[in-house]
Coordinates of all heavy atoms in Angstrom, one line a residue:
P137 N 5.5 57.9 23.9 CA 5.7 58.9 25.0 C 4.5 59.1 25.9 O 4.6 59.5 27.0 CB 6.0 60.2 24.2 CG 6.6 59.7 22.9 CD 5.8 58.5 22.6
V138 N 3.3 58.7 25.4 CA 2.1 58.8 26.2 C 1.9 57.6 27.0 O 1.7 57.6 28.2 CB 0.9 59.2 25.3 CG1 -0.4 59.2 26.2 CG2 1.1 60.5 24.6
T139 N 1.9 56.4 26.3 CA 1.6 55.2 27.0 C 2.6 54.8 28.0 O 2.3 54.1 29.0 CB 1.4 54.0 26.0 OG1 2.6 53.9 25.2 CG2 0.2 54.3 25.0
A140 N 3.9 55.2 27.8 CA 4.9 54.9 28.8 C 4.6 55.6 30.1 O 5.2 55.2 31.2 CB 6.3 55.3 28.3
Q141 N 3.8 56.6 30.1 CA 3.5 57.4 31.3 C 2.3 56.8 32.1 O 2.1 57.1 33.2 CB 3.2 58.8 31.0 CG 4.3 59.6 30.3 CD 3.9 61.0 30.0 OE1 3.2 61.7 30.8 NE2 4.4 61.5 28.9
L142 N 1.6 55.9 31.4 CA 0.4 55.3 32.0 C 0.7 54.2 33.0 O 1.5 53.3 32.7 CB -0.6 54.9 30.9 CG -1.0 55.9 29.9 CD1 -1.9 55.3 28.8 CD2 -1.7 57.1 30.5
P143 N 0.0 54.1 34.1 CA 0.1 53.0 35.0 C -0.3 51.7 34.3 O -1.2 51.7 33.4 CB -0.8 53.3 36.2 CG -1.0 54.8 36.1 CD -0.9 55.1 34.7
G144 N 0.4 50.6 34.6 CA 0.0 49.3 34.0 C -0.1 48.2 34.9 O -0.4 48.4 36.1
E145 N 0.1 47.0 34.4 CA -0.1 45.8 35.2 C 1.0 45.6 36.3 O 2.1 46.1 36.1 CB -0.2 44.6 34.3 CG -1.3 44.6 33.3 CD -1.2 43.5 32.3 OE1 -0.2 42.7 32.4 OE2 -2.1 43.3 31.5
D146 N 0.7 44.8 37.3 CA 1.7 44.4 38.3 C 2.4 45.6 39.0 O 3.6 45.5 39.3 CB 2.7 43.4 37.7 CG 2.0 42.2 37.1 OD1 1.1 41.7 37.7 OD2 2.4 41.8 36.0
G147 N 1.7 46.7 39.1 CA 2.3 47.8 39.9 C 3.1 48.7 39.1 O 3.8 49.6 39.7
Y148 N 3.2 48.6 37.8 CA 3.9 49.5 36.9 C 3.3 50.9 37.1 O 2.1 51.1 36.8 CB 4.0 49.1 35.5 CG 4.6 50.1 34.6 CD1 6.0 50.3 34.6 CD2 3.9 50.9 33.7 CE1 6.6 51.2 33.8 CE2 4.5 51.8 32.9 CZ 5.9 52.0 32.9 OH 6.5 52.9 32.1
T149 N 4.1 51.9 37.4 CA 3.5 53.2 37.7 C 3.6 54.2 36.6 O 3.1 55.4 36.7 CB 4.2 53.8 39.0 OG1 5.6 53.9 38.8 CG2 3.9 53.0 40.2
G150 N 4.3 53.9 35.5 CA 4.6 54.8 34.5 C 5.7 55.7 34.8 O 6.3 55.7 35.9
G151 N 6.2 56.5 33.8 CA 7.3 57.4 34.1 C 7.5 58.4 33.0 O 6.8 58.4 32.0
K152 N 8.6 59.2 33.1 CA 8.9 60.2 32.1 C 9.6 59.7 30.9 O 10.1 58.5 30.9 CB 9.7 61.3 32.8 CG 9.0 62.1 33.9 CD 9.9 63.2 34.5 CE 9.2 64.0 35.5 NZ 10.1 65.1 36.1
V153 N 9.7 60.5 29.9 CA 10.3 60.1 28.6 C 11.3 61.2 28.1 O 11.0 62.4 28.3 CB 9.2 60.0 27.6 CG1 9.7 59.6 26.2 CG2 8.1 58.9 28.0
I154 N 12.3 60.8 27.5 CA 13.2 61.7 26.8 C 13.2 61.4 25.3 O 13.3 60.3 24.9 CB 14.7 61.6 27.3 CG1 14.8 62.1 28.7 CG2 15.7 62.4 26.4 CD1 16.2 62.0 29.3
F155 N 13.0 62.5 24.5 CA 12.9 62.4 23.0 C 14.0 63.2 22.4 O 14.1 64.4 22.6 CB 11.5 62.9 22.6 CG 11.2 62.5 21.2 CD1 10.1 61.7 20.9 CD2 11.9 63.1 20.1 CE1 9.8 61.3 19.6 CE2 11.6 62.7 18.8 CZ 10.5 61.9 18.6

Side-chain angles (χ1 to χ4, degrees):
V138 177
T139 56
Q141 299 180 39
L142 303 177
E145 301 173 355
D146 302 318
Y148 174 72
T149 57
K152 294 183 179 181
V153 179
I154 290 181
F155 195 112

